[in-house]
Amino acid sequence: AALGPGRRRQGGTQQEIEPRRGLNIMDTPLQPALDNEPGRETRTVELIDIQRIMHDIPHRYPFLLLDRVVDVVLNTSAVGVKNVSVNEGFFAGHFPNHPVMPGVLIIESMAQTAAVLVVETLGPDAAGKVVYFMSIEGAKFRRPVVPGDQLRIHVTKERNRGNVWKFNAVARVDGASVAEATYAAMIMDRAPSP
C-alpha cells in the first residue's frame, strides 16, 4: 500500500515523520546510520519531499534540480524526480525556440539524488556536511529532455570507503533511458560561514 506524505516504512510498520519547516543543513537528519549487512533489516523511505530535500542538501533555486526523492532504500538506492518546466531559466538560452535541458544539469540532478541518499543514510553523522563530485565516468546522453518531461533519476550505490562514495545512475523519461553515468563523490565538512 502507498504511504502518504510525511510517512515512512520501517520494516513492516509505518511511522509518522514530523513535518520539517525552517530547517537547514546544520540540523540533524531523521535517519540513523545503517549498514545493509546480511540479516540486518533494510530500511526504506517512500517519499522525501522538497522541504526535506532542502534540509538534506544545501542547494537552492535556481540550482536545486529535484522536486522529490522516492523509493529510497537507505545505503543502497533512490529515485530522484525532476518535473521539467518550460519556466526553467536555462531554457531561455539552451536553445531559443528549441528548449533542451543541458546534459550537465541532468548529471547534477543525479548528484543531488545521490547526496540526499548519502545524508539520509548517514543520519546524524551527516549534519553540517556537503557532497562534492570527484569523478564522472561513462556519461552518455540518449535523447533530449524537453519541457513537460518528468525526469526520474535512478541512483544505485556501487560502494563506499570512508568518506568516498561511488554511484551508478540512469535518468529516464517515460521509462526510456535519456542519460547515464557513473560518478564518485566525497563527503566533506561544510566550510564555516564568514
Side-chain angles (χ1 to χ4, degrees), residues 25-128:
I25 194 67
M26 299 305 287
D27 294 320
T28 303
L30 295 174
Q31 294 292 340
L34 93 119
D35 297 316
N36 284 348
E37 298 170 359
R40 191 163 186 178
E41 179 182 16
T42 299
R43 297 184 38 204
T44 62
V45 179
E46 296 291 323
L47 171 70
I48 298 174
D49 66 13
I50 191 65
Q51 293 298 322
R52 189 151 157 204
I53 290 169
M54 289 171 46
H55 171 266
D56 287 348
I57 62 177
H59 302 75
R60 296 295 179 265
Y61 178 84
F63 219 70
L64 180 58
L65 298 173
L66 293 174
D67 294 311
R68 73 185 91 114
V69 179
V70 298
D71 302 331
V72 179
V73 180
L74 296 177
N75 203 33
T76 303
S77 64
V79 178
V81 179
K82 168 66 176 159
N83 296 308
V84 182
S85 165
V86 74
N87 297 321
E88 307 281 355
F90 50 79
F91 284 137
H94 199 273
F95 302 101
N97 301 317
H98 183 71
V100 174
M101 184 174 184
V104 294
L105 296 183
I106 296 170
I107 298 292
E108 176 63 24
S109 67
M110 291 175 177
Q112 290 180 17
T113 301
V116 170
L117 175 60
V118 168
V119 171
E120 290 289 327
T121 297
L122 293 178
D125 293 339

Side-chain angles (χ1 to χ4, degrees), residues 25 56-59 107-108 110-112 114-116 118-119 122 128-136 163-167 183-193:
I25 194 67
D56 287 348
I57 62 177
H59 302 75
I107 298 292
E108 176 63 24
M110 291 175 177
Q112 290 180 17
V116 170
V118 168
V119 171
L122 293 178
K129 302 201 184 249
V130 291
V131 182
Y132 293 105
F133 264 136
M134 289 179 62
S135 68
I136 303 168
N163 63 343
V164 176
W165 295 59
K166 189 167 187 179
F167 298 92
Y183 51 95
M186 182 178 286
I187 315 308
M188 305 269 303
D189 289 330
R190 188 173 183 181
S193 298

Side-chain angles (χ1 to χ4, degrees), residues 162-177:
N163 63 343
V164 176
W165 295 59
K166 189 167 187 179
F167 298 92
N168 182 276
V170 177
R172 294 186 171 98
V173 172
D174 296 328
S177 174

